[in-house]
Amino acid sequence: MPAPFLYRAWVAVSMVLVPFATMIETRKLRRAGVSVMRAHEKIGHATEPRQKNGPLIWFHGASVGESLSVLALIDRMGRKLPRAQFLITSGTATSAKLLSSRLPARTVHQFAPFDAPGPLKRFLRHWHPDAAVFVESELWPQMLRRTHARGARMALVNARLSEGSVAKWRKRPAFARYILDVFSLILTQNDKMAQSMVDMHAPADRVARGVNLKSMAGPLPLDEDALFEARAALGHRPVWVASSTHEGEEQTVLAAHKTLLKAHPDLCLILAPRHPERGQEVMNLIAGASLSLTRRTRGDMPGAQVFLADTMGELGLWYALSDIVFLGGSLRPIGGHNPFEVAQSGATVLSGTHVTNFAETFAAMEEAGAARLVADADDLAQQVDALLTNDAQRAKARTAADTFVAGQTDTLDTIADRLIRALELAP
């Protein structure tokens, strides 16, 4: 299939942009604590060896969520393919930090190369993947075509594009066909997205509905020593967690907590904002609500009315302390966050009603009794109070969460088997 003009134009433009992109990205990564050597992975210079004793399967997802969403899938494929090696690439320092503590066996992480000839040639010459799996909306033209040209079998999983992006692709049919033709299999998050991919000129016989892989993320990491210390600090106090909250949501959570303290005076709220850099702002909100607090970035453990958990990578620890978790990003039209991570800890999920990013998951969890949606501070306080005061109801919700998690395991196995067949990786 000949390369369309739009692709050839992008190749030319990318060659001009590489020096500027390198300078900008290196500075950004260095400010985030990444070494110069690792920052140069962006221009294709590998910092890990390519193991030769089995096929290499490359997974790419740009963001934190995209990268973390495939860890459970890599783990499952690794069990079925005991000789396979795995490479996962992402674009940000945050994703690299979180992945470093959660990588499955035989898996290494690298920063993704720029979508330009030089970086990609170096990257592919070193890694030479036997198969490549791209996640969600990572459709970099040269990355896809050059990987395909090197003989790798390719798949797109968890495919998700906005309506605006779909409309733009549909206006460029020759370019869309040229890019999407590289995939042996395209698994979408739902039926609507499957139809959109076909409308974008993806080969219809290679498109199928999958599931939202973020709803099957692997267990969050947990420091057992820190868990022991936190439990000792709390003693027998009741605890609830509000995690991944965004600007404008903490006020609602704190109002609910003040209401709850009237009936449960020793209740502790663990408040973990989505963006820890907002720690000072959230601390001011807690103080403004006349609530006492301890703060994780000061080295504290839970010990006041509110514990501000303003660090990265410790959610697994806080979830282990309670079986009641409110999940933020849902009281405002943000789209919600991953309830499966909460369910894996054995907790019931409370959430606002704005959960479009995980609509199918929340619907299934609600039906199973593992999740409940709340409208405002009064509703949130009532739901938390009901779970705190009714042991049988709380135990039933925990059982529902455990049952839901177990049911997703079979689905993940099915997806792993399907990818292994499509990518011709059968042992």
Side-chain angles (χ1 to χ4, degrees):
M1 185 182 296
F5 170 77
L6 195 59
Y7 177 83
R8 288 182 277 114
W10 170 238
V11 172
V13 170
S14 69
M15 295 172 69
V16 176
L17 294 177
V18 162
F20 303 100
T22 300
M23 180 175 63
I24 293 169
E25 283 296 311
T26 300
R27 286 178 178 174
K28 186 188 299 183
L29 291 174
R30 293 290 290 130
R31 284 197 298 268
V34 177
S35 69
V36 172
M37 183 176 293
R38 287 224 59 191
H40 283 178
E41 292 168 10
K42 286 278 191 176
I43 52 175
H45 293 295
T47 56
E48 294 282 351
R50 201 276 200 203
Q51 301 297 323
K52 305 295 186 182
N53 57 340
L56 179 75
I57 307 169
W58 170 28
F59 280 78
H60 174 65
S63 70
V64 173
E66 291 170 359
S67 302
L68 294 178
S69 71
V70 296
L71 292 182
L73 180 58
I74 292 174
D75 178 70
R76 199 57 50 89
M77 291 179 70
R79 296 181 192 182
K80 295 173 181 290
L81 302 170
R83 292 183 59 253
Q85 306 292 324
F86 297 89
L87 166 70
I88 184 167
T89 58
S90 63
T92 66
T94 301
S95 64
K97 180 179 179 181
L98 291 178
L99 284 168
S100 66
S101 62
R102 301 179 63 180
L103 289 175
R106 308 190 309 278
T107 304
V108 297
H109 171 268
Q110 298 278 275
F111 288 109
F114 294 124
D115 197 50
L120 284 167
K121 287 178 181 177
R122 284 188 287 270
F123 176 88
L124 292 170
R125 186 166 53 242
H126 177 83
W127 292 107
H128 205 290
D130 297 280
V133 181
F134 295 83
V135 187
E136 289 201 16
S137 56
E138 278 301 285
L139 302 178
W140 288 103
Q142 294 183 73
M143 185 179 289
L144 296 177
R145 289 302 311 188
R146 291 177 183 276
T147 302
H148 183 257
R150 290 295 296 255
R153 296 167 297 282
M154 300 168 64
L156 176 65
V157 300
N158 225 35
R160 180 176 69 92
L161 294 169
S162 67
E163 291 184 5
S165 295
V166 171
K168 290 177 182 177
W169 280 89
R170 291 179 66 180
K171 291 178 182 178
R172 301 169 176 84
F175 183 66
R177 288 192 191 95
Y178 184 69
I179 298 302
L180 298 175
D181 184 63
V182 303
F183 296 117
S184 300
L185 178 66
I186 298 174
L187 292 177
T188 66
Q189 292 187 7
N190 51 47
D191 290 331
K192 182 181 178 182
M193 193 66 241
Q195 185 57 53
S196 294
M197 294 301 297
V198 175
D199 293 342
M200 287 166 51
H201 312 287
D205 60 335
R206 305 180 213 167
V207 177
R209 176 185 175 174
V211 295
N212 187 341
L213 289 176
K214 289 179 181 176
S215 71
M216 298 182 179
L220 293 172
L222 176 61
D223 184 328
E224 294 291 346
D225 291 337
L227 178 60
F228 179 84
E229 186 181 351
R231 283 177 172 160
L234 284 166
H236 297 290
R237 293 177 62 189
V239 181
W240 71 294
V241 177
S243 70
S244 296
T245 55
H246 290 249
E247 183 177 358
E249 294 187 316
E250 286 89 7
Q251 293 92 328
T252 301
V253 170
L254 293 171
H257 189 56
K258 292 189 75 169
T259 299
L260 287 162
L261 285 170
K262 297 173 185 177
H264 309 276
D266 59 344
L267 180 64
C268 178
L269 164 65
I270 297 177
L271 180 54
R274 179 69 172 182
H275 303 290
E277 62 269 20
R278 294 183 56 240
Q280 186 63 42
E281 173 192 340
V282 178
M283 188 180 80
N284 293 339
L285 291 173
I286 297 168
S290 301
L291 294 166
S292 62
L293 72 105
T294 52
R295 186 176 179 183
R296 183 58 170 162
T297 50
R298 294 193 306 219
D300 299 338
M301 278 292 180
Q305 291 172 317
V306 180
F307 175 61
L308 177 56
D310 53 344
T311 53
M312 290 286 291
E314 291 194 300
L315 271 182
L317 171 59
W318 315 133
Y319 287 168
L321 295 172
S322 177
D323 45 20
I324 305 171
V325 176
F326 170 77
L327 199 52
S330 59
L331 291 170
R332 290 189 159 197
I334 295 167
H337 293 300
N338 188 358
F340 190 72
E341 291 179 342
V342 179
Q344 279 193 312
S345 72
T348 188
V349 181
L350 302 176
S351 171
T353 57
H354 299 283
V355 292
T356 53
N357 291 344
F358 295 91
E360 293 91 349
T361 307
F362 270 102
M365 289 183 70
E366 270 196 290
E367 184 178 353
R372 306 177 183 189
L373 300 188
V374 302
D376 52 30
D378 289 340
D379 195 8
L380 178 57
Q382 289 173 12
Q383 293 285 359
V384 175
D385 179 65
L387 290 165
L388 286 171
T389 56
N390 190 323
D391 292 343
Q393 188 179 143
R394 195 166 69 253
K396 184 178 179 181
R398 288 199 62 167
T399 299
D402 291 339
T403 302
F404 179 80
V405 169
Q408 300 305 298
T409 302
D410 293 340
T411 304
L412 196 59
D413 270 325
T414 300
I415 293 173
D417 288 337
R418 192 167 193 172
L419 273 176
I420 289 169
R421 288 194 303 271
L423 299 176
E424 301 177 18
L425 292 167

